Amino acid sequence: TYASGTGTVRVWTVSGLSVAEVPFSLAGGGEEAVSGNGRDREGDQLANGTYLYRVELDGPAGSVRSDMRRLVIMR
């Protein structure tokens, strides 16, 4: 568990195209939420559909990466 650190949520299409990176910081002390704007690197809204994401965190104790998870966008 990290008390503080910086990280990135990386988002890919199911075909493997990297579409977004959402940087974040952890201040420590409890649960934290990461907010994204639902846009790709060019500023366009991500289309409805299924994407894959991974959370990567760098902290004082080293780096960790989550497993790939599914993200579904429906508007």
Side-chain angles (χ1 to χ4, degrees):
T1 304
Y2 285 90
S4 63
T6 59
T8 305
V9 177
R10 300 187 192 280
V11 182
W12 294 269
T13 63
V14 291
S15 63
L17 178 65
S18 177
V19 293
E21 294 181 4
V22 180
F24 65 92
S25 296
L26 297 177
E31 290 186 22
E32 308 248 0
V34 177
S35 296
N37 61 7
R39 297 188 177 275
D40 64 16
R41 289 189 179 126
E42 286 75 42
D44 297 324
Q45 262 192 350
L46 291 172
N48 287 343
T50 302
Y51 296 85
L52 301 173
Y53 75 93
R54 172 183 289 159
V55 178
E56 300 174 358
L57 179 64
D58 296 316
S63 298
V64 293
R65 292 183 349 178
S66 72
D67 293 334
M68 295 291 267
R69 307 291 289 198
R70 251 188 320 239
L71 166 70
V72 177
I73 295 180
M74 294 187 300
R75 292 184 183 87

